[in-house]
């Protein structure tokens, strides 16, 4: 009898109320099997955890379906082809997918995106050269960011913000960023090349913006929402542009917070605010890979990441996003490349070991 491949995965077993807790999740094992015709077996090397996933844990209609209870979560991942019965891919090929939160899976080639093994580490395809990097690139394009603009980025030390700032500098902008610690401020200044960075916890954001950008800002790249958006509205110049990318300050609120009290600035300053969902830009993925990949290969773009080891630590890595524990992209390392999973017998497996906090 052919041995089976057993994969561990993280499932959502209850919907969070407010901030998620480890008890909302479980670590389970499932039998993956071997590929049928036009299928490949993938072993994930790295998986992504992202703030937007919090919204999918709620049971409500949105731009993307909610996670199903009792089933494995999904999200970005980069993995290696282990077995193939599809002519498009061979063992050893590297691919990205939306089959994160699990160690192994079966898929058809049309569900995968092949990437180069020459770019290292593979996790860069979840960061600067992945969907977070593409979100930064798409946001700047959507906001028509150009040389000479003064750009303010909130959540600037995160996965999207740190890339957006670097790309804005490459476009010839003056870039200002805010983050939640002195260490992150120094990272933005010293490694990402931001012109100015400040700690939003030190004092009111509006006052710090007045000091750092007394002449105002042309573009606000919003990853935070809430009071930060309100401060940026006051700092905007006439005909300024706001890129609404995220609102992590309110993702865990049971009830929506009141909107900005100074929204009248949209009228008096003739501002433009555009919402951004990176899925709308997938038809331009090759353009992104060509431009931003060129910057990365030339050493002009840095990929900063915080790496957590093991799928059993994935829930903790996700929760850490809301505690500011990441600098750059938060990824979970699941396996080393070029190692094939060792098939194991399916008997005697406990299906529902709990994730530990």
């Amino acid at each position: 009898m052919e041995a089976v491949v057993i994969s561990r995965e993280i499932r959502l077993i209850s919907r969070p109320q407010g901030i998620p807790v480890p008890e909302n999740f479980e670590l389970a094992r499932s039998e993956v099997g071997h590929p049928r015709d036009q299928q490949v077996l993938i072993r994930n090397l790295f998986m992504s955890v992202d703030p937007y996933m919090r919204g999918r844990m709620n049971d409500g209609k949105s731009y993307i379906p909610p996670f199903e209870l009792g089933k494995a979560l999904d999200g970005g991942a980069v993995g290696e082809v282990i077995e193939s019965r599809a002519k498009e891919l061979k063992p050893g090929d590297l691919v990205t997918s939306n089959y994160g939160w699990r160690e192994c899976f079966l898929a058809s080639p049309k569900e995968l995106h092949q990437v180069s093994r020459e770019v290292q580490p593979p996790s860069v395809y979840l960061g600067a050269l992945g969907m977070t990097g593409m979100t930064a690139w798409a946001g700047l394009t959507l906001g028509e960011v150009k040389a000479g603009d003064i750009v303010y980025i909130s959540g600037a030390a995160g996965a999207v913000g740190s890339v957006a700032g670097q790309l804005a500098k490459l476009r010839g902008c003056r870039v200002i960023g805010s983050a939640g610690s002195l260490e992150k401020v120094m990272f933005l200044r010293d490694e990402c090349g931001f012109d100015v960075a400040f700690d939003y916890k030190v004092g009111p954001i509006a006052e710090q913006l007045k000091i750092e950008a007394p002449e105002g800002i042309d573009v606000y790249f919003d990853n935070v929402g809430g009071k930060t958006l309100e401060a940026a509205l006051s700092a905007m110049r006439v005909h300024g542009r706001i890129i609404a990318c995220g609102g992590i300050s309110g993702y865990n609120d049971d009830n929506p917070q009141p909107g900005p009290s100074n929204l009248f600035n949209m009228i008096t300053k003739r501002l433009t605010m555009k919402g951004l969902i990176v899925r709308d830009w997938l038809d331009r993925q090759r353009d992104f890979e060509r431009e931003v990949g060129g910057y990365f290969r030339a050493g002009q773009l840095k990929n900063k990441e915080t790496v957590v080891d093991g799928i059993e630590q994935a829930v903790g890595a996700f929760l850490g996003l809301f505690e500011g524990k990441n600098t750059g992209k938060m990824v979970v390392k699941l396996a080393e490349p070029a190692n094939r999973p060792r098939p194991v017998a399916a008997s005697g497996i406990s299906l529902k070991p709990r994730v530990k906090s």
Side-chain angles (χ1 to χ4, degrees), residues 6-20:
I6 298 298
S7 173
R8 293 184 296 172
E9 62 189 32
I10 301 292
R11 298 172 182 172
L12 185 71
I13 59 172
S14 61
R15 303 214 179 268
Q17 300 296 317
I19 299 174

Side-chain angles (χ1 to χ4, degrees), residues 153-165:
I153 302 170
S154 60
V160 173
S162 58
V163 175

Side-chain angles (χ1 to χ4, degrees), residues 234-246:
S234 294
M236 298 297 296
R237 287 171 156 178
V238 172
H239 298 302
R241 291 95 72 202
I242 300 172
I243 303 157
C245 179

